[in-house]
Amino acid sequence: MESQKRKFESLSLEAREQFAENTRERIYSTITLLAVLAALWHTVQYHSALGVIASVAGTVVGLWLATLMSDRMSYRAVHGKGMPTEKYRKILFAASGLLAPAAAPILLVALSMTEILTLKTALTISIILLLLSLFLFSIVGSRRIYDSKQKILMISLSELLIGVGVVALKLLIGE
């Protein structure tokens, strides 16, 4: 762990900030997908596997496009000029984090088309994997700051509860 910590810290501040932006977008997308997957799980009888894949892909692509558009528009508004190419590259890298959380749910739902899993099981596993990814992101980030395993665990469990809360809320309101 110590060598990984040093390796990351050897990166420039700009590179670390780019990774932070990418991770932020990935966490944001994960929480959004949790809400979408919970809604799809709750009404699974009305959906086909292809429809679920389209919903998941459409959600992350919509978030990705919204991020690119909002960054571009806000840059113009603040700087009074078009965005330079280098800034586009940075934004594309950061925004790519929005797409990553959709990979496992799409693969699992595609697997349900082979009848190895039911669609509901694929959605259940997807929700669990996304919740675990939130927990692991929190563990990894917390380990870089805190030495106390209990503190790391408590912080990570608290942050995991946000994802659990999103799922519970979607299931409680029946959407």
Side-chain angles (χ1 to χ4, degrees), residues 17-33 60 62-68 70-71 90-102 134 137:
E17 286 175 356
Q18 283 185 295
F19 280 110
E21 288 176 27
N22 180 275
T23 302
R24 179 194 67 227
E25 297 297 342
R26 188 169 182 161
I27 293 166
Y28 177 70
S29 181
T30 298
I31 292 169
T32 302
L33 276 179
V60 296
L63 286 171
W64 182 73
L65 290 171
T67 297
L68 296 178
S70 65
D71 281 349
K90 289 178 185 177
I91 290 169
L92 285 171
F93 174 74
S96 69
L98 292 162
L99 303 172
L134 284 178
F137 270 117

PDB file of all heavy atoms in Angstrom, residues 17-33 60 62-68 70-71 90-102 134 137:
ATOM      1  N   GLU A  17      -5.515  15.871  -9.756  1.00  0.00           N
ATOM      2  CA  GLU A  17      -6.822  16.539  -9.857  1.00  0.00           C
ATOM      3  C   GLU A  17      -7.649  15.944 -10.990  1.00  0.00           C
ATOM      4  O   GLU A  17      -8.867  15.805 -10.865  1.00  0.00           O
ATOM      5  CB  GLU A  17      -6.643  18.044 -10.037  1.00  0.00           C
ATOM      6  CG  GLU A  17      -6.203  18.727  -8.759  1.00  0.00           C
ATOM      7  CD  GLU A  17      -5.890  20.204  -8.938  1.00  0.00           C
ATOM      8  OE1 GLU A  17      -5.930  20.725 -10.086  1.00  0.00           O
ATOM      9  OE2 GLU A  17      -5.599  20.852  -7.921  1.00  0.00           O
ATOM     10  N   GLN A  18      -7.002  15.555 -12.083  1.00  0.00           N
ATOM     11  CA  GLN A  18      -7.726  14.911 -13.183  1.00  0.00           C
ATOM     12  C   GLN A  18      -8.290  13.562 -12.741  1.00  0.00           C
ATOM     13  O   GLN A  18      -9.435  13.234 -13.052  1.00  0.00           O
ATOM     14  CB  GLN A  18      -6.813  14.724 -14.400  1.00  0.00           C
ATOM     15  CG  GLN A  18      -6.599  15.998 -15.174  1.00  0.00           C
ATOM     16  CD  GLN A  18      -5.791  15.732 -16.415  1.00  0.00           C
ATOM     17  OE1 GLN A  18      -4.630  15.343 -16.335  1.00  0.00           O
ATOM     18  NE2 GLN A  18      -6.416  15.918 -17.558  1.00  0.00           N
ATOM     19  N   PHE A  19      -7.502  12.791 -12.003  1.00  0.00           N
ATOM     20  CA  PHE A  19      -7.996  11.519 -11.482  1.00  0.00           C
ATOM     21  C   PHE A  19      -9.140  11.746 -10.494  1.00  0.00           C
ATOM     22  O   PHE A  19     -10.103  10.986 -10.466  1.00  0.00           O
ATOM     23  CB  PHE A  19      -6.871  10.713 -10.829  1.00  0.00           C
ATOM     24  CG  PHE A  19      -6.013   9.985 -11.815  1.00  0.00           C
ATOM     25  CD1 PHE A  19      -4.712  10.375 -12.046  1.00  0.00           C
ATOM     26  CD2 PHE A  19      -6.522   8.903 -12.518  1.00  0.00           C
ATOM     27  CE1 PHE A  19      -3.921   9.708 -12.965  1.00  0.00           C
ATOM     28  CE2 PHE A  19      -5.738   8.224 -13.445  1.00  0.00           C
ATOM     29  CZ  PHE A  19      -4.428   8.638 -13.673  1.00  0.00           C
ATOM     30  N   ALA A  20      -9.030  12.806  -9.696  1.00  0.00           N
ATOM     31  CA  ALA A  20     -10.098  13.121  -8.744  1.00  0.00           C
ATOM     32  C   ALA A  20     -11.390  13.465  -9.485  1.00  0.00           C
ATOM     33  O   ALA A  20     -12.475  13.033  -9.092  1.00  0.00           O
ATOM     34  CB  ALA A  20      -9.681  14.276  -7.839  1.00  0.00           C
ATOM     35  N   GLU A  21     -11.277  14.228 -10.565  1.00  0.00           N
ATOM     36  CA  GLU A  21     -12.465  14.574 -11.353  1.00  0.00           C
ATOM     37  C   GLU A  21     -13.077  13.331 -11.987  1.00  0.00           C
ATOM     38  O   GLU A  21     -14.297  13.157 -11.995  1.00  0.00           O
ATOM     39  CB  GLU A  21     -12.114  15.600 -12.431  1.00  0.00           C
ATOM     40  CG  GLU A  21     -11.830  16.981 -11.875  1.00  0.00           C
ATOM     41  CD  GLU A  21     -11.388  17.963 -12.956  1.00  0.00           C
ATOM     42  OE1 GLU A  21     -11.764  17.780 -14.128  1.00  0.00           O
ATOM     43  OE2 GLU A  21     -10.669  18.910 -12.600  1.00  0.00           O
ATOM     44  N   ASN A  22     -12.241  12.453 -12.511  1.00  0.00           N
ATOM     45  CA  ASN A  22     -12.721  11.215 -13.118  1.00  0.00           C
ATOM     46  C   ASN A  22     -13.420  10.349 -12.064  1.00  0.00           C
ATOM     47  O   ASN A  22     -14.504   9.810 -12.311  1.00  0.00           O
ATOM     48  CB  ASN A  22     -11.547  10.458 -13.744  1.00  0.00           C
ATOM     49  CG  ASN A  22     -11.966   9.165 -14.397  1.00  0.00           C
ATOM     50  OD1 ASN A  22     -12.060   8.142 -13.720  1.00  0.00           O
ATOM     51  ND2 ASN A  22     -12.220   9.199 -15.687  1.00  0.00           N
ATOM     52  N   THR A  23     -12.826  10.257 -10.889  1.00  0.00           N
ATOM     53  CA  THR A  23     -13.415   9.473  -9.809  1.00  0.00           C
ATOM     54  C   THR A  23     -14.719  10.100  -9.339  1.00  0.00           C
ATOM     55  O   THR A  23     -15.702   9.390  -9.095  1.00  0.00           O
ATOM     56  CB  THR A  23     -12.420   9.345  -8.637  1.00  0.00           C
ATOM     57  OG1 THR A  23     -11.222   8.742  -9.131  1.00  0.00           O
ATOM     58  CG2 THR A  23     -12.990   8.511  -7.510  1.00  0.00           C
ATOM     59  N   ARG A  24     -14.762  11.410  -9.227  1.00  0.00           N
ATOM     60  CA  ARG A  24     -15.993  12.108  -8.829  1.00  0.00           C
ATOM     61  C   ARG A  24     -17.116  11.787  -9.806  1.00  0.00           C
ATOM     62  O   ARG A  24     -18.229  11.450  -9.397  1.00  0.00           O
ATOM     63  CB  ARG A  24     -15.761  13.614  -8.781  1.00  0.00           C
ATOM     64  CG  ARG A  24     -17.014  14.401  -8.384  1.00  0.00           C
ATOM     65  CD  ARG A  24     -16.900  15.890  -8.643  1.00  0.00           C
ATOM     66  NE  ARG A  24     -16.835  16.117 -10.075  1.00  0.00           N
ATOM     67  CZ  ARG A  24     -15.967  16.909 -10.674  1.00  0.00           C
ATOM     68  NH1 ARG A  24     -15.073  17.576  -9.977  1.00  0.00           N
ATOM     69  NH2 ARG A  24     -15.974  17.055 -11.972  1.00  0.00           N
ATOM     70  N   GLU A  25     -16.821  11.854 -11.087  1.00  0.00           N
ATOM     71  CA  GLU A  25     -17.841  11.557 -12.096  1.00  0.00           C
ATOM     72  C   GLU A  25     -18.280  10.099 -12.012  1.00  0.00           C
ATOM     73  O   GLU A  25     -19.450   9.778 -12.176  1.00  0.00           O
ATOM     74  CB  GLU A  25     -17.325  11.881 -13.500  1.00  0.00           C
ATOM     75  CG  GLU A  25     -16.997  13.346 -13.726  1.00  0.00           C
ATOM     76  CD  GLU A  25     -18.184  14.284 -13.597  1.00  0.00           C
ATOM     77  OE1 GLU A  25     -19.344  13.838 -13.653  1.00  0.00           O
ATOM     78  OE2 GLU A  25     -17.956  15.499 -13.433  1.00  0.00           O
ATOM     79  N   ARG A  26     -17.348   9.217 -11.738  1.00  0.00           N
ATOM     80  CA  ARG A  26     -17.681   7.796 -11.625  1.00  0.00           C
ATOM     81  C   ARG A  26     -18.610   7.541 -10.434  1.00  0.00           C
ATOM     82  O   ARG A  26     -19.563   6.773 -10.531  1.00  0.00           O
ATOM     83  CB  ARG A  26     -16.399   6.981 -11.488  1.00  0.00           C
ATOM     84  CG  ARG A  26     -16.635   5.516 -11.550  1.00  0.00           C
ATOM     85  CD  ARG A  26     -15.346   4.766 -11.670  1.00  0.00           C
ATOM     86  NE  ARG A  26     -15.645   3.354 -11.786  1.00  0.00           N
ATOM     87  CZ  ARG A  26     -14.828   2.463 -12.250  1.00  0.00           C
ATOM     88  NH1 ARG A  26     -13.635   2.832 -12.659  1.00  0.00           N
ATOM     89  NH2 ARG A  26     -15.168   1.216 -12.303  1.00  0.00           N
ATOM     90  N   ILE A  27     -18.332   8.187  -9.317  1.00  0.00           N
ATOM     91  CA  ILE A  27     -19.181   8.038  -8.137  1.00  0.00           C
ATOM     92  C   ILE A  27     -20.558   8.639  -8.403  1.00  0.00           C
ATOM     93  O   ILE A  27     -21.588   8.037  -8.060  1.00  0.00           O
ATOM     94  CB  ILE A  27     -18.498   8.661  -6.901  1.00  0.00           C
ATOM     95  CG1 ILE A  27     -17.254   7.838  -6.535  1.00  0.00           C
ATOM     96  CG2 ILE A  27     -19.461   8.770  -5.725  1.00  0.00           C
ATOM     97  CD1 ILE A  27     -16.317   8.516  -5.559  1.00  0.00           C
ATOM     98  N   TYR A  28     -20.586   9.790  -9.023  1.00  0.00           N
ATOM     99  CA  TYR A  28     -21.857  10.432  -9.374  1.00  0.00           C
ATOM    100  C   TYR A  28     -22.688   9.523 -10.280  1.00  0.00           C
ATOM    101  O   TYR A  28     -23.879   9.316 -10.059  1.00  0.00           O
ATOM    102  CB  TYR A  28     -21.571  11.776 -10.057  1.00  0.00           C
ATOM    103  CG  TYR A  28     -22.801  12.501 -10.524  1.00  0.00           C
ATOM    104  CD1 TYR A  28     -23.686  13.063  -9.608  1.00  0.00           C
ATOM    105  CD2 TYR A  28     -23.081  12.633 -11.878  1.00  0.00           C
ATOM    106  CE1 TYR A  28     -24.812  13.733 -10.040  1.00  0.00           C
ATOM    107  CE2 TYR A  28     -24.207  13.295 -12.306  1.00  0.00           C
ATOM    108  CZ  TYR A  28     -25.074  13.844 -11.383  1.00  0.00           C
ATOM    109  OH  TYR A  28     -26.198  14.498 -11.816  1.00  0.00           O
ATOM    110  N   SER A  29     -22.067   8.956 -11.280  1.00  0.00           N
ATOM    111  CA  SER A  29     -22.752   8.056 -12.198  1.00  0.00           C
ATOM    112  C   SER A  29     -23.224   6.795 -11.482  1.00  0.00           C
ATOM    113  O   SER A  29     -24.328   6.292 -11.751  1.00  0.00           O
ATOM    114  CB  SER A  29     -21.821   7.689 -13.360  1.00  0.00           C
ATOM    115  OG  SER A  29     -22.466   6.838 -14.269  1.00  0.00           O
ATOM    116  N   THR A  30     -22.421   6.284 -10.574  1.00  0.00           N
ATOM    117  CA  THR A  30     -22.788   5.088  -9.819  1.00  0.00           C
ATOM    118  C   THR A  30     -24.057   5.335  -9.010  1.00  0.00           C
ATOM    119  O   THR A  30     -24.981   4.519  -9.015  1.00  0.00           O
ATOM    120  CB  THR A  30     -21.635   4.649  -8.900  1.00  0.00           C
ATOM    121  OG1 THR A  30     -20.497   4.325  -9.716  1.00  0.00           O
ATOM    122  CG2 THR A  30     -22.013   3.453  -8.046  1.00  0.00           C
ATOM    123  N   ILE A  31     -24.113   6.462  -8.325  1.00  0.00           N
ATOM    124  CA  ILE A  31     -25.295   6.781  -7.522  1.00  0.00           C
ATOM    125  C   ILE A  31     -26.519   6.969  -8.421  1.00  0.00           C
ATOM    126  O   ILE A  31     -27.615   6.482  -8.107  1.00  0.00           O
ATOM    127  CB  ILE A  31     -25.029   8.014  -6.636  1.00  0.00           C
ATOM    128  CG1 ILE A  31     -23.996   7.642  -5.563  1.00  0.00           C
ATOM    129  CG2 ILE A  31     -26.313   8.532  -6.005  1.00  0.00           C
ATOM    130  CD1 ILE A  31     -23.450   8.809  -4.787  1.00  0.00           C
ATOM    131  N   THR A  32     -26.341   7.622  -9.559  1.00  0.00           N
ATOM    132  CA  THR A  32     -27.447   7.794 -10.497  1.00  0.00           C
ATOM    133  C   THR A  32     -27.919   6.450 -11.025  1.00  0.00           C
ATOM    134  O   THR A  32     -29.125   6.176 -11.099  1.00  0.00           O
ATOM    135  CB  THR A  32     -27.016   8.711 -11.661  1.00  0.00           C
ATOM    136  OG1 THR A  32     -26.592   9.966 -11.128  1.00  0.00           O
ATOM    137  CG2 THR A  32     -28.158   8.933 -12.632  1.00  0.00           C
ATOM    138  N   LEU A  33     -26.969   5.585 -11.392  1.00  0.00           N
ATOM    139  CA  LEU A  33     -27.338   4.254 -11.898  1.00  0.00           C
ATOM    140  C   LEU A  33     -28.018   3.406 -10.826  1.00  0.00           C
ATOM    141  O   LEU A  33     -28.891   2.588 -11.153  1.00  0.00           O
ATOM    142  CB  LEU A  33     -26.113   3.520 -12.441  1.00  0.00           C
ATOM    143  CG  LEU A  33     -25.728   3.859 -13.871  1.00  0.00           C
ATOM    144  CD1 LEU A  33     -24.483   3.085 -14.286  1.00  0.00           C
ATOM    145  CD2 LEU A  33     -26.860   3.587 -14.829  1.00  0.00           C
ATOM    146  N   VAL A  60     -26.107   6.816 -18.744  1.00  0.00           N
ATOM    147  CA  VAL A  60     -24.708   7.258 -18.630  1.00  0.00           C
ATOM    148  C   VAL A  60     -24.280   8.121 -19.815  1.00  0.00           C
ATOM    149  O   VAL A  60     -23.529   9.070 -19.639  1.00  0.00           O
ATOM    150  CB  VAL A  60     -23.723   6.085 -18.400  1.00  0.00           C
ATOM    151  CG1 VAL A  60     -23.989   5.408 -17.075  1.00  0.00           C
ATOM    152  CG2 VAL A  60     -23.718   5.096 -19.532  1.00  0.00           C
ATOM    153  N   GLY A  62     -26.307  10.090 -21.447  1.00  0.00           N
ATOM    154  CA  GLY A  62     -26.949  11.379 -21.168  1.00  0.00           C
ATOM    155  C   GLY A  62     -26.176  12.185 -20.142  1.00  0.00           C
ATOM    156  O   GLY A  62     -25.979  13.398 -20.304  1.00  0.00           O
ATOM    157  N   LEU A  63     -25.708  11.526 -19.080  1.00  0.00           N
ATOM    158  CA  LEU A  63     -24.878  12.210 -18.088  1.00  0.00           C
ATOM    159  C   LEU A  63     -23.573  12.698 -18.701  1.00  0.00           C
ATOM    160  O   LEU A  63     -23.113  13.809 -18.420  1.00  0.00           O
ATOM    161  CB  LEU A  63     -24.560  11.265 -16.918  1.00  0.00           C
ATOM    162  CG  LEU A  63     -25.667  10.958 -15.939  1.00  0.00           C
ATOM    163  CD1 LEU A  63     -25.240   9.839 -14.992  1.00  0.00           C
ATOM    164  CD2 LEU A  63     -26.059  12.193 -15.154  1.00  0.00           C
ATOM    165  N   TRP A  64     -22.986  11.856 -19.534  1.00  0.00           N
ATOM    166  CA  TRP A  64     -21.726  12.207 -20.195  1.00  0.00           C
ATOM    167  C   TRP A  64     -21.912  13.440 -21.085  1.00  0.00           C
ATOM    168  O   TRP A  64     -21.133  14.398 -20.998  1.00  0.00           O
ATOM    169  CB  TRP A  64     -21.249  11.003 -21.004  1.00  0.00           C
ATOM    170  CG  TRP A  64     -19.947  11.163 -21.704  1.00  0.00           C
ATOM    171  CD1 TRP A  64     -18.716  11.185 -21.140  1.00  0.00           C
ATOM    172  CD2 TRP A  64     -19.752  11.305 -23.107  1.00  0.00           C
ATOM    173  NE1 TRP A  64     -17.750  11.328 -22.119  1.00  0.00           N
ATOM    174  CE2 TRP A  64     -18.364  11.405 -23.334  1.00  0.00           C
ATOM    175  CE3 TRP A  64     -20.610  11.358 -24.196  1.00  0.00           C
ATOM    176  CZ2 TRP A  64     -17.827  11.561 -24.599  1.00  0.00           C
ATOM    177  CZ3 TRP A  64     -20.074  11.506 -25.461  1.00  0.00           C
ATOM    178  CH2 TRP A  64     -18.689  11.609 -25.645  1.00  0.00           C
ATOM    179  N   LEU A  65     -22.954  13.422 -21.906  1.00  0.00           N
ATOM    180  CA  LEU A  65     -23.208  14.566 -22.797  1.00  0.00           C
ATOM    181  C   LEU A  65     -23.545  15.825 -22.000  1.00  0.00           C
ATOM    182  O   LEU A  65     -23.103  16.925 -22.343  1.00  0.00           O
ATOM    183  CB  LEU A  65     -24.329  14.239 -23.780  1.00  0.00           C
ATOM    184  CG  LEU A  65     -23.973  13.219 -24.853  1.00  0.00           C
ATOM    185  CD1 LEU A  65     -25.226  12.810 -25.643  1.00  0.00           C
ATOM    186  CD2 LEU A  65     -22.904  13.770 -25.786  1.00  0.00           C
ATOM    187  N   ALA A  66     -24.324  15.671 -20.927  1.00  0.00           N
ATOM    188  CA  ALA A  66     -24.665  16.829 -20.094  1.00  0.00           C
ATOM    189  C   ALA A  66     -23.419  17.434 -19.465  1.00  0.00           C
ATOM    190  O   ALA A  66     -23.286  18.663 -19.383  1.00  0.00           O
ATOM    191  CB  ALA A  66     -25.667  16.416 -19.018  1.00  0.00           C
ATOM    192  N   THR A  67     -22.498  16.584 -19.044  1.00  0.00           N
ATOM    193  CA  THR A  67     -21.255  17.076 -18.450  1.00  0.00           C
ATOM    194  C   THR A  67     -20.421  17.828 -19.478  1.00  0.00           C
ATOM    195  O   THR A  67     -19.916  18.923 -19.204  1.00  0.00           O
ATOM    196  CB  THR A  67     -20.441  15.907 -17.856  1.00  0.00           C
ATOM    197  OG1 THR A  67     -21.207  15.321 -16.815  1.00  0.00           O
ATOM    198  CG2 THR A  67     -19.107  16.358 -17.317  1.00  0.00           C
ATOM    199  N   LEU A  68     -20.282  17.234 -20.664  1.00  0.00           N
ATOM    200  CA  LEU A  68     -19.506  17.914 -21.711  1.00  0.00           C
ATOM    201  C   LEU A  68     -20.133  19.250 -22.082  1.00  0.00           C
ATOM    202  O   LEU A  68     -19.444  20.264 -22.221  1.00  0.00           O
ATOM    203  CB  LEU A  68     -19.394  17.014 -22.948  1.00  0.00           C
ATOM    204  CG  LEU A  68     -18.638  15.698 -22.758  1.00  0.00           C
ATOM    205  CD1 LEU A  68     -18.653  14.895 -24.053  1.00  0.00           C
ATOM    206  CD2 LEU A  68     -17.216  15.951 -22.295  1.00  0.00           C
ATOM    207  N   SER A  70     -22.249  21.131 -20.268  1.00  0.00           N
ATOM    208  CA  SER A  70     -22.209  22.118 -19.185  1.00  0.00           C
ATOM    209  C   SER A  70     -20.796  22.670 -18.990  1.00  0.00           C
ATOM    210  O   SER A  70     -20.637  23.867 -18.736  1.00  0.00           O
ATOM    211  CB  SER A  70     -22.751  21.523 -17.890  1.00  0.00           C
ATOM    212  OG  SER A  70     -21.932  20.474 -17.433  1.00  0.00           O
ATOM    213  N   ASP A  71     -19.784  21.815 -19.141  1.00  0.00           N
ATOM    214  CA  ASP A  71     -18.411  22.315 -19.029  1.00  0.00           C
ATOM    215  C   ASP A  71     -18.100  23.304 -20.146  1.00  0.00           C
ATOM    216  O   ASP A  71     -17.481  24.343 -19.916  1.00  0.00           O
ATOM    217  CB  ASP A  71     -17.409  21.154 -19.068  1.00  0.00           C
ATOM    218  CG  ASP A  71     -17.305  20.424 -17.748  1.00  0.00           C
ATOM    219  OD1 ASP A  71     -17.840  20.919 -16.740  1.00  0.00           O
ATOM    220  OD2 ASP A  71     -16.681  19.347 -17.720  1.00  0.00           O
ATOM    221  N   LYS A  90      -8.980  17.156 -21.145  1.00  0.00           N
ATOM    222  CA  LYS A  90      -9.132  16.973 -19.701  1.00  0.00           C
ATOM    223  C   LYS A  90     -10.581  16.661 -19.346  1.00  0.00           C
ATOM    224  O   LYS A  90     -10.851  15.790 -18.514  1.00  0.00           O
ATOM    225  CB  LYS A  90      -8.666  18.229 -18.964  1.00  0.00           C
ATOM    226  CG  LYS A  90      -7.178  18.422 -19.014  1.00  0.00           C
ATOM    227  CD  LYS A  90      -6.772  19.705 -18.325  1.00  0.00           C
ATOM    228  CE  LYS A  90      -5.292  19.945 -18.489  1.00  0.00           C
ATOM    229  NZ  LYS A  90      -4.872  21.211 -17.889  1.00  0.00           N
ATOM    230  N   ILE A  91     -11.502  17.361 -19.970  1.00  0.00           N
ATOM    231  CA  ILE A  91     -12.922  17.140 -19.695  1.00  0.00           C
ATOM    232  C   ILE A  91     -13.347  15.751 -20.172  1.00  0.00           C
ATOM    233  O   ILE A  91     -14.093  15.053 -19.488  1.00  0.00           O
ATOM    234  CB  ILE A  91     -13.782  18.244 -20.345  1.00  0.00           C
ATOM    235  CG1 ILE A  91     -13.552  19.563 -19.604  1.00  0.00           C
ATOM    236  CG2 ILE A  91     -15.257  17.869 -20.341  1.00  0.00           C
ATOM    237  CD1 ILE A  91     -14.148  20.766 -20.309  1.00  0.00           C
ATOM    238  N   LEU A  92     -12.866  15.338 -21.331  1.00  0.00           N
ATOM    239  CA  LEU A  92     -13.212  14.004 -21.837  1.00  0.00           C
ATOM    240  C   LEU A  92     -12.702  12.917 -20.904  1.00  0.00           C
ATOM    241  O   LEU A  92     -13.390  11.926 -20.655  1.00  0.00           O
ATOM    242  CB  LEU A  92     -12.667  13.802 -23.253  1.00  0.00           C
ATOM    243  CG  LEU A  92     -13.426  14.523 -24.353  1.00  0.00           C
ATOM    244  CD1 LEU A  92     -12.662  14.430 -25.678  1.00  0.00           C
ATOM    245  CD2 LEU A  92     -14.829  13.960 -24.514  1.00  0.00           C
ATOM    246  N   PHE A  93     -11.499  13.092 -20.369  1.00  0.00           N
ATOM    247  CA  PHE A  93     -10.980  12.106 -19.419  1.00  0.00           C
ATOM    248  C   PHE A  93     -11.833  12.083 -18.157  1.00  0.00           C
ATOM    249  O   PHE A  93     -12.239  11.015 -17.685  1.00  0.00           O
ATOM    250  CB  PHE A  93      -9.519  12.392 -19.049  1.00  0.00           C
ATOM    251  CG  PHE A  93      -9.010  11.463 -17.971  1.00  0.00           C
ATOM    252  CD1 PHE A  93      -8.720  10.142 -18.268  1.00  0.00           C
ATOM    253  CD2 PHE A  93      -8.862  11.910 -16.668  1.00  0.00           C
ATOM    254  CE1 PHE A  93      -8.276   9.269 -17.270  1.00  0.00           C
ATOM    255  CE2 PHE A  93      -8.419  11.051 -15.671  1.00  0.00           C
ATOM    256  CZ  PHE A  93      -8.129   9.729 -15.975  1.00  0.00           C
ATOM    257  N   ALA A  94     -12.130  13.247 -17.609  1.00  0.00           N
ATOM    258  CA  ALA A  94     -12.942  13.309 -16.392  1.00  0.00           C
ATOM    259  C   ALA A  94     -14.324  12.718 -16.645  1.00  0.00           C
ATOM    260  O   ALA A  94     -14.815  11.903 -15.855  1.00  0.00           O
ATOM    261  CB  ALA A  94     -13.064  14.749 -15.899  1.00  0.00           C
ATOM    262  N   ALA A  95     -14.935  13.084 -17.755  1.00  0.00           N
ATOM    263  CA  ALA A  95     -16.292  12.622 -18.053  1.00  0.00           C
ATOM    264  C   ALA A  95     -16.346  11.133 -18.376  1.00  0.00           C
ATOM    265  O   ALA A  95     -17.400  10.509 -18.243  1.00  0.00           O
ATOM    266  CB  ALA A  95     -16.878  13.443 -19.202  1.00  0.00           C
ATOM    267  N   SER A  96     -15.218  10.561 -18.777  1.00  0.00           N
ATOM    268  CA  SER A  96     -15.223   9.120 -19.076  1.00  0.00           C
ATOM    269  C   SER A  96     -15.558   8.300 -17.841  1.00  0.00           C
ATOM    270  O   SER A  96     -16.043   7.174 -17.945  1.00  0.00           O
ATOM    271  CB  SER A  96     -13.879   8.684 -19.671  1.00  0.00           C
ATOM    272  OG  SER A  96     -12.856   8.751 -18.693  1.00  0.00           O
ATOM    273  N   GLY A  97     -15.335   8.863 -16.666  1.00  0.00           N
ATOM    274  CA  GLY A  97     -15.706   8.188 -15.433  1.00  0.00           C
ATOM    275  C   GLY A  97     -17.202   7.949 -15.322  1.00  0.00           C
ATOM    276  O   GLY A  97     -17.647   7.055 -14.613  1.00  0.00           O
ATOM    277  N   LEU A  98     -17.980   8.742 -16.039  1.00  0.00           N
ATOM    278  CA  LEU A  98     -19.431   8.559 -16.034  1.00  0.00           C
ATOM    279  C   LEU A  98     -19.847   7.272 -16.728  1.00  0.00           C
ATOM    280  O   LEU A  98     -20.891   6.704 -16.412  1.00  0.00           O
ATOM    281  CB  LEU A  98     -20.119   9.748 -16.723  1.00  0.00           C
ATOM    282  CG  LEU A  98     -20.045  11.081 -15.994  1.00  0.00           C
ATOM    283  CD1 LEU A  98     -20.363  12.233 -16.939  1.00  0.00           C
ATOM    284  CD2 LEU A  98     -20.988  11.081 -14.805  1.00  0.00           C
ATOM    285  N   LEU A  99     -19.065   6.818 -17.683  1.00  0.00           N
ATOM    286  CA  LEU A  99     -19.437   5.661 -18.492  1.00  0.00           C
ATOM    287  C   LEU A  99     -19.089   4.327 -17.828  1.00  0.00           C
ATOM    288  O   LEU A  99     -19.780   3.328 -18.009  1.00  0.00           O
ATOM    289  CB  LEU A  99     -18.760   5.755 -19.862  1.00  0.00           C
ATOM    290  CG  LEU A  99     -19.064   7.026 -20.667  1.00  0.00           C
ATOM    291  CD1 LEU A  99     -18.176   7.092 -21.906  1.00  0.00           C
ATOM    292  CD2 LEU A  99     -20.522   7.120 -21.036  1.00  0.00           C
ATOM    293  N   ALA A 100     -18.026   4.306 -17.051  1.00  0.00           N
ATOM    294  CA  ALA A 100     -17.503   3.055 -16.488  1.00  0.00           C
ATOM    295  C   ALA A 100     -18.502   2.264 -15.642  1.00  0.00           C
ATOM    296  O   ALA A 100     -18.570   1.038 -15.774  1.00  0.00           O
ATOM    297  CB  ALA A 100     -16.232   3.340 -15.690  1.00  0.00           C
ATOM    298  N   PRO A 101     -19.286   2.889 -14.766  1.00  0.00           N
ATOM    299  CA  PRO A 101     -20.183   2.095 -13.916  1.00  0.00           C
ATOM    300  C   PRO A 101     -21.259   1.325 -14.676  1.00  0.00           C
ATOM    301  O   PRO A 101     -21.862   0.407 -14.126  1.00  0.00           O
ATOM    302  CB  PRO A 101     -20.835   3.139 -12.998  1.00  0.00           C
ATOM    303  CG  PRO A 101     -19.883   4.269 -12.985  1.00  0.00           C
ATOM    304  CD  PRO A 101     -19.272   4.294 -14.349  1.00  0.00           C
ATOM    305  N   ALA A 102     -21.486   1.645 -15.925  1.00  0.00           N
ATOM    306  CA  ALA A 102     -22.518   0.949 -16.700  1.00  0.00           C
ATOM    307  C   ALA A 102     -22.037  -0.396 -17.228  1.00  0.00           C
ATOM    308  O   ALA A 102     -22.861  -1.229 -17.614  1.00  0.00           O
ATOM    309  CB  ALA A 102     -22.969   1.825 -17.871  1.00  0.00           C
ATOM    310  N   LEU A 134     -18.963   1.632  -4.541  1.00  0.00           N
ATOM    311  CA  LEU A 134     -18.963   2.840  -3.702  1.00  0.00           C
ATOM    312  C   LEU A 134     -18.160   2.600  -2.420  1.00  0.00           C
ATOM    313  O   LEU A 134     -17.354   3.432  -2.010  1.00  0.00           O
ATOM    314  CB  LEU A 134     -20.387   3.242  -3.329  1.00  0.00           C
ATOM    315  CG  LEU A 134     -21.232   3.916  -4.382  1.00  0.00           C
ATOM    316  CD1 LEU A 134     -22.634   4.194  -3.837  1.00  0.00           C
ATOM    317  CD2 LEU A 134     -20.594   5.195  -4.884  1.00  0.00           C
ATOM    318  N   PHE A 137     -14.396   2.417  -3.281  1.00  0.00           N
ATOM    319  CA  PHE A 137     -13.835   3.750  -3.536  1.00  0.00           C
ATOM    320  C   PHE A 137     -13.600   4.483  -2.225  1.00  0.00           C
ATOM    321  O   PHE A 137     -12.590   5.148  -2.043  1.00  0.00           O
ATOM    322  CB  PHE A 137     -14.763   4.591  -4.425  1.00  0.00           C
ATOM    323  CG  PHE A 137     -14.495   4.447  -5.885  1.00  0.00           C
ATOM    324  CD1 PHE A 137     -15.453   3.915  -6.722  1.00  0.00           C
ATOM    325  CD2 PHE A 137     -13.302   4.858  -6.436  1.00  0.00           C
ATOM    326  CE1 PHE A 137     -15.216   3.788  -8.081  1.00  0.00           C
ATOM    327  CE2 PHE A 137     -13.043   4.732  -7.791  1.00  0.00           C
ATOM    328  CZ  PHE A 137     -14.011   4.200  -8.611  1.00  0.00           C
TER     329      PHE A 137
END
